[in-house]
Amino acid sequence: MDAEGLESFRHFVDSRSSALLRTAVLLSGGDRHAGEDLLQNALAKAAGRWHRIEEPEAYVRQVLYRQQISRWRLKWPRREVSVAEPPDSGAGLDASSAAELRIVMRAALSRLTARQRTVLVLRYFEDLPEAEVAGLLGCSVGTVRSTTHRSLARLRALAPELAALGRADAERAPSSDFSPVEVRP
C-alpha cells in the first residue's frame, strides 16, 4: 500500500471504527472481544484490497456480516461465553436509563442464535430492507421475514423485561415528536 492509501485507510479506521465496532459487538452477541476480533479481521481484509475498494464502509460491513455467517455455520460452534463475573438478575433494572436499556438489549440478543441475532441486527440496528438482508445472508426474502418473526417472538419470550422497559420509556416520553432517549440495541 502506498503512502496515500495508507493515510486514507488510517483516516477511515479513525473515523468509522467505533460505529463498525458497535455493529460487530451486536453481531457477536454482545461479546466485545469477539466483536473486536470480527472487526479486526474485516479491517485486515480491507487493508489488503484498499486501493480497489470503491465504498470502504459498505465493503467492511459486508465482510463483517459474511464472517459472522461463517462463524454460525461452523461444524462445532462455540456454545459458551466466558465472563469475568456472572450477569446480574433483571430484578433491579432502572427503566429511566438508556444505558441500562442497551445493556438489557445486548444481553437479550446474546440469548438468540447467531442467525436470529444477525437478522435482527441487520433489519433493526442497521435498518436494512428485507431484500438487502436476504442478499447479504444468501437466502430468500421469505426466509428473512420468517426468521425476523421467529426471532422477535423468541426475544419477547426470553427477555420479557424489554417490554416493561419499553413501556416505561414510552410513558416518560414528551408529547412532541422528539424523543430524548435514543434506544439502540
Side-chain angles (χ1 to χ4, degrees), residues 83-133:
V83 293
E85 297 177 18
D88 294 336
S89 68
L93 291 175
D94 178 15
S96 66
S97 172
E100 289 182 15
L101 182 57
R102 284 192 299 271
I103 291 169
V104 172
M105 178 58 80
R106 283 190 179 137
L109 285 173
S110 71
R111 297 180 206 165
L112 298 175
T113 67
R115 183 178 188 99
Q116 291 173 327
R117 183 173 51 248
T118 301
V119 169
L120 291 181
V121 168
L122 292 175
R123 285 286 293 131
Y124 298 108
F125 182 75
E126 293 292 324
D127 199 26
L128 296 178
E130 292 169 338
E132 195 170 335
V133 173

Side-chain angles (χ1 to χ4, degrees), residues 8-124:
S8 170
F9 181 72
R10 283 185 181 153
H11 175 70
F12 172 76
V13 171
D14 288 342
S15 64
R16 299 304 304 153
S17 62
S18 62
L20 292 168
L21 179 59
R22 280 192 301 270
T23 300
V25 169
L26 288 172
L27 287 171
S28 60
D31 184 351
R32 183 170 178 88
H33 298 292
E36 288 171 349
D37 289 345
L38 194 64
L39 179 58
Q40 183 177 5
N41 290 337
L43 290 174
K45 287 184 179 190
R49 297 168 181 84
W50 191 251
H51 64 281
R52 295 184 304 226
I53 299 173
E54 292 180 22
E55 294 184 38
E57 185 160 356
Y59 180 86
V60 172
R61 286 182 184 276
Q62 180 86 353
V63 172
L64 284 173
Y65 306 145
R66 290 188 177 185
Q67 284 182 336
Q68 184 60 26
I69 290 169
S70 295
R71 284 184 179 185
W72 90 52
R73 288 182 178 163
L74 288 175
K75 186 174 181 178
W76 302 106
R78 199 169 127 206
R79 300 273 185 218
E80 296 180 15
V81 176
S82 300
V83 293
E85 297 177 18
D88 294 336
S89 68
L93 291 175
D94 178 15
S96 66
S97 172
E100 289 182 15
L101 182 57
R102 284 192 299 271
I103 291 169
V104 172
M105 178 58 80
R106 283 190 179 137
L109 285 173
S110 71
R111 297 180 206 165
L112 298 175
T113 67
R115 183 178 188 99
Q116 291 173 327
R117 183 173 51 248
T118 301
V119 169
L120 291 181
V121 168
L122 292 175
R123 285 286 293 131
Y124 298 108

Side-chain angles (χ1 to χ4, degrees), residues 111 151-161:
R111 297 180 206 165
S151 302
L152 288 173
R154 184 161 185 235
L155 190 63
R156 287 182 189 111
L158 291 175
E161 65 271 17

